[in-house]
Amino acid sequence: MVGSRLLRAGFRHQRRHSWQTLLAILGIMLGVAIVMAVGLANQSASRAFEITMEQISGQVTHQIVAGPDGIPESLYTSLRLTLPTIKSAPVVEGLVRVRKEQFTLLGLDPLSEQPFRNLTLSPAPDLLNRLLTQPDGVLISAYTARRLDLAIDKPLTLEIAGKQTDTTIIAQYGAEQGAALDGVLVADIAVAQTLLQTFGQLTRIDLILTEQEVHQLQQWLPKGMRLIETRQRTATMADMSKAFQTNLTAMSLLALLVGGFLIYNTATFSVLQRRRQFGIMRLIGATRGEVFRLILFEQMLIGLIGTLLGMGAGILLARELLWLVTRTINDLYYTLTVTRLDLAPGILITGMLLGLITTLLASAPPAWEATRSRPQSVNRRSVIERQSHRAIPWLFVTGLIMLAAGLWLATHSDRNLLLGFTALFCFIVGYCLLVPAFVPLLSRLLNHPIKRLFGTIGRLATRGIEATLSRTGPAIAALTLAIAATIGMGIMVDSFRATVGQWLNQTLQGDIYISATDSRSKQASAPLPEHLPETLLKLQGVREISTGRHVTVESDSGPINLLAIGLSSTSYQGFNFKGETLPALWQQFATGNLVLVSEPYAYHNQLQVGDPLTLLTPKGDQTFKVGGIFFDYGSDRGLVVLPRTFYAERWQDSQVTTLGVYLKPDAALDQLLSEIKSITAQSEQPLTVRANQEILSHSLEIFDRTFTITRVLRLLVIAVAFVGILSAMLALQLERAKEHAILRATGLTPGQLFGQITLQTLLMGVMAALLAIPLGWLMAEILIHVINLSAFGWSMPSQLSPAVLLEAVLFALIASLLAGLYPSLRMGRTRPALALREE
Amino acid sequence: MQNKPLLVVEDLYHSYQEGGDSRPILNGINLQVAEHECIALLGRSGSGKSTLLNMLAGIDTPQDGRITIMGQNIHELSELDRTLLRRRHIGFVYQFFNLIPTLTIAENVGLPLELNGYNERDIRKLVGLLLSDVGLGDRWNAYPDQLSGGEQQRIAIARALIHNPSIILADEPTGNLDAETGEHTLRILLGLSRQLKRTLIIVTHSFEVAEKADRIFTLNDGVLNREGEPHW
């Protein structure tokens, strides 16, 4: 227990320094809010995915899947006739747009659906009849209808592969499932086939199987078909975005770490300011335990208030982050509509515990330190500083040990993302522990030039930093951490962007590229008109063309993105291989004996050059040899490349998804671009024609969009850090009020005092910026070479951009200037007599 | 000495490191203080008076020798037990008052009682009485920075006496006050400690202050010498 008078003394101290308390609350609030927001947004996206999959999959245990063209309808008929006891339902699935939003269109057979799911059940009595007979009838989830203000029997325009098609809403479904079915339209299977123009084809056959039936079905299944477990498929899909979501969580934890630093700073200053008070309490007879509990209680109360406010702010922020997370998942991984925030109790409790535990961990050391001092020595300023200087070697050694641990973890993390982040944490904390050792050194280094420039004021400023290391050390360390975080993230994003730019420049060997605007299928990109290649080749100025077909095929490790390419004479130059390739690569490639795999695919599936890779073809499984591993930053899921002629023959699919047009050296790009655009305008489906530079800038736009969330988090980390610095500077200046009053009484003008304090805080900013550069670079190296590699399988060179460093140094200077401004003004205006009189 | 010894100091030795040298500050101190006795320790600045006082309070540890308070060698006690001994049996008055700025004067005075487990009603009653005794009964809710130096020192005296400690240690109690206020404050301190029959040890460098004590000792070059007989 802590006595009420001790508590009162503590609370009144907080009230008297309310700005400091408020900044501490703000710091922990921001830290918790960011962690909560990211957690809730991630959780909402994952949960929405799970629930949607649960609802769509229903009781389904297995699925029959095939290649990009799907399954012939006749197989379903044959299955029903051959194995009539097996519960099966045909499914057609495709992508449509409603008011620019991407939806999944699910074509089901209402007569086979009963044991599988209840999506087609609805209170309307004539629903089944209408579903089966109305050629344009679709069902919309009750939640989506409410959200988009859509009513039954009203027309609904769908955009399918760029073309507008009118349908009618015949009923709402899934009122009980709430937001789980948001973004899913249901239609009769025949209606879906008509809308998606996949006549006679099914996307898959859903099944409910016993173990015996699994065996039975596998015996019966024709070549080119695969029986997969639904649960496993759902897990594979959910795993796709896991690395992205883990990265977001780690970045949010960085914000909390900076927030923790802020609490540590506040608690330390609060203790330092009251060392005299605690000394008196100890002299009167308060035990160490009582003083410890008092400090901890106060700080935990601040932490609790900050945490509760942070939880509220986190929920508000999560609503904004949710669409950024969903957009990125849609851009990179799979179609997902999430409009409702899932306030999962687990995340709320975790957010609260993180806030409180961070507060506890951050405030326990200063509380402990306050109680360790002997009662009479806590009154002496020199003792405090002597203790701080004495702690430097210990901090330095601990810091070095943590850096060594970080290095060991970074080199041994071996695909483990958690170990990668632990290494990063060790580096950050280890380096921050080294900072106090560098401050006196830098202070002495700067002393001479600053004295020459600013005279006595300059000398006082540099000396003051070293003389009050117990105060300046943590403040500089906090600022160092914040600036290093901006440098680290900045270098990582810049390196990534530059690598993607270089990769695109190398990959886009053609001058003009043509593709369909939108695809109706999840398994394949929309095909281009059949005669387009020949037409384009006849154009004057066109030297040659390359062709590509993007599809998703099945493999032992789940679905794979496959690109079948018809190479032009210069397309080969578009591949940059990682390490060695098999000999006579391109000759072997042309025969279809080997495949090329992208770096992320090889990384995730632990493939080396020469390893076998089995793909499901319509003629059954076929094993290829990996001929080379190429750099590819298009997708972290990875890509497998085959020659198009081989693909066309083996998969019986001669369609083309993209065309690359190579111009003769004297051809005019703009003129040919217009000619091609006028040709493609005659196509039934909308086609996109772009010059390669346009694709480059468009791709980088998408890249920037993907990193919007990273930038938002980076800004939030900076905001937390700024609050920390402001708090530290204010506390520092308040702490030194008496010293400043003495200087004023000795003859320093208010202007000189203002100058001295401003110069000192600015110097602290300069020191933090100098110290942050190595840490920022270290953080970038770990982010790029350990974390990005573990998470996404991408390797890339790190590029130290002067702009990032300049931006960080400017931030440090502005933050320290701003943080020092108010205390400088305040101290400049304070009457020396008042400050001298204060205890 | 008419009463049995309350405090016994035997062969106390302590030195400070100065550069590579060791400077003895207490060099074989022996002292016995009886119950209800008032003694003064005279000495120049830096002579080790405050160090000795801190050791008597158990907040500093000698390199050699022993201090026995009420039959207990305080440096054989654990840190917690030393704190509890201080809490119950020792009151401290400092040159710079050392009041807690965020507590009112009533709360400052009541703090030792609360630490000793008194209930709130008793605390208020005792605080009221003692504040009247030191002449500040009307300043109950004032904060320390609203008081003059003399008033703050009177509050510090009240705080040192409130829990009825056996020993009051006063470190230059008038050192920070003008002569008139110092005289007045000293009268209160001596008056109250005699009235309450407390043992008082005053550290001072002023002979005028010291001559009000029962016995006077001077601390010089780490050695304690008896000055003479009481003057009153």
Side-chain angles (χ1 to χ4, degrees), chain A residues 452-468:
Chain A
R452 284 191 69 163
L453 278 171
F454 300 100
T456 312
I457 301 293
R459 193 171 55 83
L460 284 172
T462 47
R463 277 291 302 129
I465 293 174
E466 191 188 344
T468 53

Short mmCIF file of all heavy atoms in Angstrom, two decimals, chain A residues 452-468:
data_model
loop_
_atom_site.label_atom_id
_atom_site.label_comp_id
_atom_site.label_asym_id
_atom_site.label_seq_id
_atom_site.Cartn_x
_atom_site.Cartn_y
_atom_site.Cartn_z
N ARG A 452 33.62 29.04 -30.81
CA ARG A 452 34.15 30.06 -31.74
C ARG A 452 33.01 30.80 -32.43
O ARG A 452 33.08 32.00 -32.68
CB ARG A 452 35.03 29.39 -32.80
CG ARG A 452 36.38 29.01 -32.27
CD ARG A 452 37.29 28.62 -33.37
NE ARG A 452 37.65 29.79 -34.20
CZ ARG A 452 38.66 29.80 -35.03
NH1 ARG A 452 39.41 28.73 -35.16
NH2 ARG A 452 38.93 30.86 -35.75
N LEU A 453 31.95 30.05 -32.73
CA LEU A 453 30.83 30.66 -33.45
C LEU A 453 29.94 31.51 -32.53
O LEU A 453 29.49 32.59 -32.91
CB LEU A 453 29.96 29.57 -34.09
CG LEU A 453 30.44 29.01 -35.43
CD1 LEU A 453 29.59 27.80 -35.83
CD2 LEU A 453 30.34 30.08 -36.52
N PHE A 454 29.68 31.01 -31.35
CA PHE A 454 28.68 31.66 -30.50
C PHE A 454 29.23 32.19 -29.17
O PHE A 454 28.46 32.67 -28.34
CB PHE A 454 27.53 30.69 -30.21
CG PHE A 454 26.83 30.21 -31.44
CD1 PHE A 454 27.11 28.97 -31.99
CD2 PHE A 454 25.88 31.00 -32.08
CE1 PHE A 454 26.48 28.52 -33.13
CE2 PHE A 454 25.22 30.56 -33.22
CZ PHE A 454 25.53 29.33 -33.76
N GLY A 455 30.50 32.03 -28.93
CA GLY A 455 31.10 32.57 -27.71
C GLY A 455 30.64 31.83 -26.47
O GLY A 455 30.44 30.61 -26.50
N THR A 456 30.44 32.59 -25.38
CA THR A 456 30.08 31.99 -24.09
C THR A 456 28.79 31.19 -24.18
O THR A 456 28.66 30.11 -23.58
CB THR A 456 29.90 33.10 -23.04
OG1 THR A 456 31.03 33.96 -23.14
CG2 THR A 456 29.80 32.54 -21.64
N ILE A 457 27.82 31.76 -24.92
CA ILE A 457 26.53 31.09 -25.07
C ILE A 457 26.74 29.68 -25.63
O ILE A 457 26.14 28.70 -25.17
CB ILE A 457 25.63 31.89 -26.05
CG1 ILE A 457 25.40 33.31 -25.53
CG2 ILE A 457 24.31 31.20 -26.33
CD1 ILE A 457 24.59 33.36 -24.28
N GLY A 458 27.61 29.60 -26.64
CA GLY A 458 27.91 28.32 -27.28
C GLY A 458 28.56 27.36 -26.30
O GLY A 458 28.23 26.17 -26.25
N ARG A 459 29.50 27.89 -25.50
CA ARG A 459 30.20 27.03 -24.54
C ARG A 459 29.22 26.49 -23.50
O ARG A 459 29.24 25.32 -23.15
CB ARG A 459 31.32 27.81 -23.86
CG ARG A 459 32.28 26.92 -23.08
CD ARG A 459 33.48 27.71 -22.61
NE ARG A 459 33.08 28.88 -21.84
CZ ARG A 459 32.78 28.86 -20.54
NH1 ARG A 459 32.85 27.74 -19.88
NH2 ARG A 459 32.42 29.96 -19.91
N LEU A 460 28.35 27.40 -23.03
CA LEU A 460 27.35 26.98 -22.04
C LEU A 460 26.44 25.89 -22.62
O LEU A 460 26.08 24.94 -21.94
CB LEU A 460 26.49 28.18 -21.61
CG LEU A 460 27.14 29.17 -20.65
CD1 LEU A 460 26.25 30.39 -20.48
CD2 LEU A 460 27.38 28.50 -19.29
N ALA A 461 26.10 26.08 -23.89
CA ALA A 461 25.18 25.12 -24.54
C ALA A 461 25.81 23.73 -24.63
O ALA A 461 25.18 22.73 -24.25
CB ALA A 461 24.79 25.63 -25.93
N THR A 462 27.07 23.66 -25.10
CA THR A 462 27.70 22.33 -25.26
C THR A 462 28.02 21.71 -23.90
O THR A 462 27.80 20.53 -23.69
CB THR A 462 29.00 22.40 -26.10
OG1 THR A 462 29.79 23.47 -25.60
CG2 THR A 462 28.72 22.61 -27.55
N ARG A 463 28.50 22.55 -22.99
CA ARG A 463 28.85 22.03 -21.66
C ARG A 463 27.61 21.48 -20.95
O ARG A 463 27.66 20.47 -20.28
CB ARG A 463 29.48 23.13 -20.80
CG ARG A 463 30.94 23.35 -21.00
CD ARG A 463 31.81 22.20 -20.51
NE ARG A 463 31.60 21.93 -19.07
CZ ARG A 463 31.34 20.76 -18.56
NH1 ARG A 463 31.22 19.72 -19.36
NH2 ARG A 463 31.18 20.59 -17.28
N GLY A 464 26.50 22.22 -21.14
CA GLY A 464 25.24 21.84 -20.47
C GLY A 464 24.78 20.46 -20.88
O GLY A 464 24.23 19.70 -20.07
N ILE A 465 25.02 20.10 -22.13
CA ILE A 465 24.57 18.79 -22.62
C ILE A 465 25.32 17.68 -21.89
O ILE A 465 24.73 16.72 -21.41
CB ILE A 465 24.78 18.67 -24.15
CG1 ILE A 465 23.86 19.66 -24.87
CG2 ILE A 465 24.50 17.25 -24.63
CD1 ILE A 465 24.08 19.75 -26.35
N GLU A 466 26.62 17.85 -21.78
CA GLU A 466 27.43 16.82 -21.12
C GLU A 466 27.19 16.81 -19.61
O GLU A 466 27.12 15.77 -18.98
CB GLU A 466 28.92 17.06 -21.42
CG GLU A 466 29.77 15.89 -20.99
CD GLU A 466 31.25 16.17 -21.09
OE1 GLU A 466 31.61 17.15 -21.79
OE2 GLU A 466 32.03 15.42 -20.50
N ALA A 467 27.03 18.05 -19.06
CA ALA A 467 26.91 18.16 -17.60
C ALA A 467 25.60 17.57 -17.09
O ALA A 467 25.52 17.16 -15.94
CB ALA A 467 27.02 19.62 -17.19
N THR A 468 24.57 17.55 -17.94
CA THR A 468 23.27 17.01 -17.51
C THR A 468 22.94 15.75 -18.30
O THR A 468 21.83 15.60 -18.80
CB THR A 468 22.16 18.06 -17.67
OG1 THR A 468 22.21 18.52 -19.03
CG2 THR A 468 22.30 19.21 -16.73
#
